[in-house]
Amino acid sequence: MTTTPTETGKAPQSRRRFLKAGGVAAAGAATFAMPNVSRAQTATLKLQTSWTASDIFQEMAADYCDRVNAMAGGRLKLDLLVGGAVVHPFSVQDAVHSGVLDAAHTVTVYWYGKHKAASLFGTGPVFGFNAEQGLGWIYRGGGKELFNELLNDILKLNIVSFFAMPMPTQPLGWFKKPVKGAGDMKGLKYRTVGLAADLMQAMGMAVAQLPGGEIVPAMERGVIDAFEFNNPTSDRRFGAQNVAKNYMLGSYHQATEYFEIMFNKTKFNALPKEHQAILQYGAEAASSANYWKAMDIYSKDLQELKEKDKVNVLRTPKDVFEAQIKAWDGLIEVLGKDPYMKKVMDSQKAWVKRVVYYETLNAADYVTAYEHHFGKMEG
């Protein structure tokens, strides 16, 4: 009688050898499938802001640094410095370019003296888009590529930048007397920055460009008669309510703005790719966190200004908006003589025509809903 391999026990032994070998192979595959974790040494980058220690913008810069540091798992660290710690708040770009600073948290209008196009990536002409839509243009509408052209090809700067935080419209600002029309602004010595300075000069104002920390002392000394900075929280923290009591909300001078988070390009390129990605996408994460914080704290501080500080909070008159938009028309014509600036503005207008058409036509009437529940809106 013949026997089969099963009957002699040879087949089960073969199966055991096969399964054992397969287990080793599977273990090896598992080993090779594990993520390749960076073994690079810890890199510490010094990041200075353009903000005072008490400004909410310093907190927003900390939001960015905290997120980067947490995601980097100890292999990359951003060391946050307050404005003026190493260089003047308006000088951070020069410091990052040269390597004196590794990074900075600022806004493009603070270096628009190098090229007025810098202001187009923050506080430029009002074509109809808000800051959220403007940030969309930067990331999805060609703005980032145009900005890199300015940095790399025109100014030849050793810098890599990311944008964050779609800032709410900046108020017209603080005045000793309420502004009832555009005529009330003529002759005033006024603080603003960027192309907004050109705009206000075109409206008959004398403009001084000052960092936030220098505004109140300038007002106290009579160097300026009126000013704007950015938002109810920043303004309240540096004491705007102590030198003026009329706060005009709404304006076309800086209807949009965003933070610029810049890095020395040589140092950025020397980092591992995963750390470069953390720095880039950390800006997007902080952008949302900053905006949510702004909605909460700005609105609370506006109520504090009204109720505790007895500030007269008013809506900027329509006459001022109309005068501003006419002044922008004149500036757009002048700025458009520069081929690069015309290219940037044309790109913005193409984005606005498509995106704002959709959003405006589709948006709910939020004012009607608000007034249904809370009564007529003041201001």
Side-chain angles (χ1 to χ4, degrees):
M1 178 176 163
T2 58
T3 58
T4 66
T6 301
E7 290 172 329
T8 62
K10 291 179 180 179
Q13 291 176 7
S14 298
R15 282 197 296 272
R16 282 195 294 271
R17 284 195 298 271
F18 173 82
L19 292 173
K20 184 177 179 182
V24 171
T31 300
F32 288 117
M34 289 178 66
N36 183 18
V37 180
S38 171
R39 294 294 184 267
Q41 291 184 345
T42 300
T44 300
L45 302 179
K46 292 189 179 299
L47 183 152
Q48 184 195 301
T49 74
S50 292
W51 324 121
T52 61
S54 62
D55 193 344
I56 193 169
F57 287 175
Q58 188 70 16
E59 293 179 27
M60 291 176 174
D63 288 341
Y64 173 70
C65 293
D66 290 345
R67 279 158 178 74
V68 167
N69 293 345
M71 289 187 285
R75 292 291 182 180
L76 173 67
K77 180 182 177 184
L78 294 181
D79 184 9
L80 181 63
L81 304 173
V82 72
V86 179
V87 298
H88 188 275
F90 279 9
S91 300
V92 292
Q93 190 202 61
D94 287 338
V96 173
H97 168 71
S98 65
V100 171
L101 290 171
D102 302 318
H105 188 281
T106 187
V107 285
T108 60
V109 293
Y110 281 4
W111 55 269
Y112 106 119
K114 293 232 177 72
H115 198 299
K116 287 191 176 184
S119 198
L120 298 179
F121 299 90
T123 56
V126 179
F127 298 124
F129 62 87
N130 60 28
E132 190 72 63
Q133 294 157 346
L135 201 56
W137 167 73
I138 287 177
Y139 280 108
R140 296 284 302 181
K144 190 67 166 66
E145 291 76 12
L146 287 165
F147 186 73
N148 287 337
E149 182 179 343
L150 177 63
L151 287 185
N152 301 327
D153 302 335
I154 298 175
L155 297 177
K156 302 188 184 307
L157 295 171
N158 188 35
I159 285 174
V160 173
S161 292
F162 306 111
F163 288 85
M165 173 51 173
M167 297 184 191
T169 298
Q170 296 179 36
L172 184 66
W174 295 84
F175 297 81
K176 293 178 181 177
K177 295 179 180 179
V179 172
K180 297 181 179 179
D184 293 342
M185 299 172 67
K186 290 183 178 179
L188 291 179
K189 294 176 289 186
Y190 180 84
R191 181 273 176 194
T192 189
V193 291
L195 284 173
D198 298 39
L199 179 78
M200 294 310 198
Q201 285 172 345
M203 294 179 66
M205 305 179 84
V207 176
Q209 302 201 46
L210 303 168
E214 298 178 18
I215 294 174
V216 167
M219 190 79 166
E220 291 172 335
R221 297 195 311 271
V223 175
I224 55 175
D225 304 312
F227 61 91
E228 65 81 33
F229 179 65
N230 191 280
N231 63 80
T233 298
S234 294
D235 294 357
R236 188 168 189 256
R237 288 186 184 183
F238 67 60
Q241 70 277 9
N242 298 325
V243 291
K245 288 294 183 181
N246 298 286
Y247 195 27
M248 312 298 301
L249 295 189
S251 182
Y252 278 146
H253 78 286
Q254 288 180 303
T256 63
E257 194 167 23
Y258 333 95
F259 292 133
E260 180 191 8
I261 305 172
M262 63 174 69
F263 294 89
N264 177 275
K265 185 189 292 185
T266 302
K267 294 178 181 178
F268 180 86
N269 288 342
L271 294 171
K273 293 295 183 185
E274 61 265 35
H275 290 170
Q276 293 178 17
I278 289 171
L279 293 175
Q280 176 182 349
Y281 298 123
E284 296 180 14
S287 188
S288 294
N290 290 170
Y291 184 77
W292 301 329
K293 176 177 285 188
M295 291 298 95
D296 179 26
I297 300 180
Y298 290 6
S299 61
K300 288 177 180 175
D301 276 317
L302 184 63
Q303 295 305 313
E304 294 282 290
L305 286 168
K306 290 176 62 177
E307 296 166 11
K308 285 192 175 182
D309 303 316
K310 307 306 178 185
V311 169
N312 190 24
V313 176
L314 300 166
R315 176 69 176 171
T316 296
K318 185 177 181 182
D319 173 69
V320 173
F321 281 100
E322 291 173 347
Q324 287 179 325
I325 206 72
K326 289 177 182 176
W328 271 126
D329 283 345
L331 285 175
I332 289 167
E333 184 177 353
V334 173
L335 297 173
K337 293 178 181 178
D338 179 294
Y340 172 75
M341 295 187 78
K342 184 179 187 306
K343 181 166 62 171
V344 174
M345 291 188 291
D346 285 348
S347 174
Q348 290 177 334
K349 285 191 281 188
W351 176 262
V352 167
K353 188 173 183 180
R354 174 167 57 87
V355 172
V356 176
Y357 173 82
Y358 160 68
E359 288 217 9
T360 303
L361 201 62
N362 186 58
D365 184 348
Y366 294 110
V367 173
T368 296
Y370 181 96
E371 293 184 344
H372 171 78
H373 292 285
F374 306 110
K376 188 169 180 59
M377 193 175 292
E378 298 177 10

